[in-house]
Amino acid sequence: AVVSTQSTGDLGDDVGSTEALLATHRELKEAVDGEREEVDKFVGIGRGLIEEENCDKDEMEQDITVVQGKMENLEKSWQERDDALTSELELKACDLDGHVIQ
């Protein structure tokens, strides 16, 4: 499972550090997408078992719901961090008068 060790409050001290954080964060997207594939496989297998009546339907539905919820939270957290880093980078790239810092 993908777990972030950075808090959403760590947005870098300057443009360079924020760019580095954003690049690293975006590299994690591949891992998040890989987790999504695994969750989708699990859900497909679980639903197949339910249809074949090869499991406790209520328990499997509950397991599917829990796993899907965790995946949705992971994706939401990734997107929120991406949005925060992108916004921070935009703010740091401009001075208070709206001029681009070079």
Side-chain angles (χ1 to χ4, degrees):
V2 177
V3 178
S4 174
T5 58
Q6 296 177 336
S7 71
T8 57
D10 181 17
L11 300 175
D13 296 324
D14 55 30
V15 171
S17 62
T18 301
E19 286 175 332
L21 286 169
L22 186 58
T24 300
H25 176 71
R26 290 192 172 160
E27 288 173 8
L28 291 174
K29 183 66 171 140
E30 187 175 319
V32 171
D33 291 344
E35 290 294 317
R36 167 51 73 193
E37 290 175 16
E38 292 300 314
V39 166
D40 290 346
K41 287 178 191 175
F42 169 78
V43 170
I45 291 169
R47 297 235 185 270
L49 291 171
I50 290 170
E51 287 177 19
E52 296 170 7
E53 298 179 4
N54 285 335
C55 64
D56 180 329
K57 178 183 177 185
D58 293 336
E59 184 177 343
M60 182 56 71
E61 286 290 350
Q62 182 179 11
D63 290 347
I64 288 170
T65 300
V66 168
V67 170
Q68 285 178 319
K70 288 181 179 185
M71 187 67 225
E72 289 168 9
N73 286 338
L74 176 62
E75 290 170 329
K76 180 181 175 188
S77 294
W78 186 92
Q79 188 60 57
E80 287 172 352
R81 174 101 172 123
D82 193 75
D83 293 345
L85 286 166
T86 300
S87 294
E88 186 69 13
L89 185 58
E90 290 170 359
L91 287 173
K92 286 179 178 164
C94 295
D95 65 20
L96 293 176
D97 295 327
H99 296 100
V100 174
I101 299 173
Q102 298 185 356

